[in-house]
Amino acid sequence: QVQLVESGGGLVQPGGSLRLSCTASGSIIGIHNMGWYRQAPGKQRELVAYITNVGIANYADSIKGRFTISGDNAKNSVYLQMNSLKPEDTAVYYCAIYTHYGGRYYWGQGTQVTVSS
């Protein structure tokens, strides 16, 4: 029943910005985090950022200082503001929910981010 829908990906030049959005629907019980992962071709999926149920944000070192994660509990949404984008940020970005109860992940379908001149 849980579904995550991402939007906001696209093609941007180096140094540009994008804002990714993710909205969750369905029954999500208990404490959970929401966040963003990314996967480039030939590489493992990696954690980009996540935010806890009480609003504590965590970031990967590779994007720290450039990206900002935020959430809106009332809208069941999470956002990723991506600034100063670099070609190495090119990847499919996935929204995710992690439930502390049961340790379960829910995934969105992904949105492509391409950084190129």
Side-chain angles (χ1 to χ4, degrees), residues 6-10 20-21 36 91-95 108-113:
E6 304 110 324
S7 64
L20 306 183
S21 299
W36 295 91
V92 177
Y93 284 70
Y94 297 90
C95 179
Q109 292 298 307
T111 184
Q112 177 71 47
V113 172

Side-chain angles (χ1 to χ4, degrees), residues 2 26-32 99-101 106:
V2 176
S27 298
I28 304 172
I29 306 299
I31 299 172
H32 59 276
T99 63
H100 289 199
Y101 181 83
Y106 299 91

Side-chain angles (χ1 to χ4, degrees), residues 43-116:
K43 293 188 176 182
Q44 293 183 328
R45 186 173 298 187
E46 65 174 349
L47 176 67
V48 177
Y50 72 92
I51 187 166
T52 71
N53 62 304
V54 293
I56 300 174
N58 297 268
Y59 300 95
D61 289 340
S62 60
I63 58 87
K64 199 168 187 177
R66 299 188 295 120
F67 295 4
T68 302
I69 190 170
S70 60
D72 187 332
N73 290 332
K75 296 181 179 179
N76 293 316
S77 297
V78 64
Y79 310 94
L80 187 68
Q81 180 65 47
M82 309 165 67
N83 299 324
S84 301
L85 283 161
K86 303 175 180 179
E88 49 263 45
D89 295 319
T90 296
V92 177
Y93 284 70
Y94 297 90
C95 179
I97 292 174
Y98 174 75
T99 63
H100 289 199
Y101 181 83
R104 184 172 180 175
Y105 283 89
Y106 299 91
W107 298 96
Q109 292 298 307
T111 184
Q112 177 71 47
V113 172
T114 302
V115 185
S116 177

